[in-house]
Amino acid sequence: MKPLQGKHILVTRGKSQAHPFIEKIEEGGGVSYHTPLLDFQLNDSESHQEIIHQLHDYSWVFLTSSNGVKFFFELLRKHNVFLPQKLQFAIIGTKTNHALKSYGYQADFIPSRFQATKMVDEFFAVYPRPGNILYIRGNRSRDVLPAAFRAKGVFFQSMTVYDTLLVKDQREEILSWLKSEELDALTFTSPSTVSAFANIVQGAEINGKDLPCFCIGPTTAETARRYGFRHIFVPKQYTINEIMNQLNHYFSNERKDKMSDLTFKRHRRLRRTESMRALVRETHLRTEDLIFPIFVVEGEGVKNPVASMPGVHQVSLDYLTEEMEELVQLNIRSVIVFGVPAEKDEVGSQAYHEDGIVQKAIRQIKEEVPSLTVIADTCLCQYTDHGHCGVVRDGDIANDESLTYITQTAVSQAEAGADIIAPSNMMDGFVASIRHGLDEAGYSHIPVMSYAVKYASSFYGPFRDAAHSSPQFGDRRAYQMDPSNRLEAIREAESDVQEGADFLIVKPALSYLDIMREVKDRFNLPLVAYNVSGEYSMIKAAAQNGWVNEQEIVLEKLTSMKRAGADLIITYFAKDAAKWLKED
Ligand SMILES: NCc1[nH]cc(CCC(=O)O)c1CC(=O)O
């Protein structure tokens, strides 16, 4: 990587002088932001005429900058003046020397160090009686040389051949660079550029005085210090090349520092031991959170395995009690009952029959295992011959008419002793209608656990095997929700809350954890995840193949539902999970 890669360097040199500097910055991989703060102009004053026409009176010309050289020769050329042969040059600075050479002249004296006082001392040591001196300067040159000449009692004449002008129209540009923090370093090659810059940024909120500030020499640096720049760098030799070296050095060090400064958080501290992990665990899966679904069928001695749901059975009432007692033993507190009737008809009348399979099952559980909370799934699809969740009129599911049957079903389930009514039919207004029906019938104390957000999901496939509830034509997409929708889920939940739901169910669970979180965050009702049949069967199948560890994967997924905001989980894994949690 180049040393100045990606670094933005402000160059304040005048137009004519900035070019080589800019080139070097770009060679180093940097980007130069050039803003000539100073401009130079030939000073062709009347009084100069007299001097340049009497150059033979002088022995030495003192030149201290390339600008001085440039404008001196420009002045001579303009007035067609030729230099007398014997005139000698005393100069300071490499650039000055170059400039002089470019006009075809050699310096006769160069001090060992490029400092004005040094120059004078060394010069007079060699030439104690130098003759008349012409000192070429700009209007902003310092008075070190004149003072020294005066002190030596030598005759000298100053000639200001150029004027330095402050350029102020870069103000906006510079302030915007500073404001957007685009600049990485500032460079100054003269005290006057420093003061020009300081003037420009005066009063600005971000004034660049915190940026590394590279000054060509000690005088420039001193000026910078006076104006409040905080990170000033001065090279050992006062040249552009040396500034470049310093810039390169500075930024490669900065890069190294950044690497060694690299700090990070040690999250693993809290994962070191199992007891440490237990200490910081955020989500806890408890057996009490689990709701067990059961399928009850007519008949006797029936314990029918559901082919697509290994481990799940349809049971007849004579097996029901022992199943329920097992739940109590395992500390599972609630059960959701699905009925598989012997007969189906157009309006699903077995759903609300006093002696329907669900009603009988509920009565039996409440009688024999009263500590269990019994939840009744309220829907028509297991009971209608067409398998839809409402009644069909002209090939359509008639919403409002269906509500009548659904409400009747809910009331009959409450009559049978259900503790909670869980309508899953997705008709509009089912919560309002059921709430009203229950209240009318004297069941205002019975809560409604609404399948508020129920998607038209292919994850229900195995359940329809278990409950014999597949639609005989079409699908459920005209009443269950489109899996692509999120905002609609909020609307569904919102209306159920308004209609008086006591619990909200999100179903399915696993592919809809995002929805669960959102519902949890927006509404303050207990939230139930329905870990549906397809989610069950996929894990069972993979586990039977030895592809996943069933226990670990089940506990992980149930925990993920709680983490997503579920307070309760309806799951066919309830008994297994309860056993595993007990072992833990
Ligand atoms: N409306 C009845 C109902 N209640 C619960 C489920 C699915 C449960 C599961 O897949 O585990 C269904 C099936 C459906 O809507 O098609």
Side-chain angles (χ1 to χ4, degrees), residues 380-391:
L380 301 183
C381 63
Q382 295 105 284
Y383 306 92
T384 50
D385 47 17
H386 46 70
H388 277 290
C389 302
V391 294

Side-chain angles (χ1 to χ4, degrees), residues 17 27 32 34 40 71 82 103 136 154 157 195 249 349 362 380 382 422 453 470 496 527 560 565:
Q17 298 173 306
E27 268 167 37
S32 54
H34 184 210
F40 307 99
F71 288 108
F82 295 93
Y103 287 96
I136 303 300
V154 68
Q157 170 69 50
S195 47
H249 189 69
S349 55
I362 293 171
L380 301 183
Q382 295 105 284
V453 180
S470 290
D496 285 9
L527 181 64
S560 75

Side-chain angles (χ1 to χ4, degrees), residues 293 295 309 338 377-382 389 424-425 451 454-455 457 459-464 469 471 476 479-480 507 530-534 572:
F295 298 96
M309 299 179 75
F338 294 97
D377 178 87
T378 308
C379 194
L380 301 183
C381 63
Q382 295 105 284
C389 302
S424 62
N425 53 84
Y451 286 70
K454 181 173 176 182
Y455 286 91
S457 169
F459 284 98
Y460 305 151
F463 172 94
R464 292 176 190 173
S469 63
R476 304 207 203 287
Y479 45 105
Q480 297 181 349
K507 177 185 174 185
Y530 198 137
N531 175 212
V532 301
S533 56
Y572 305 99

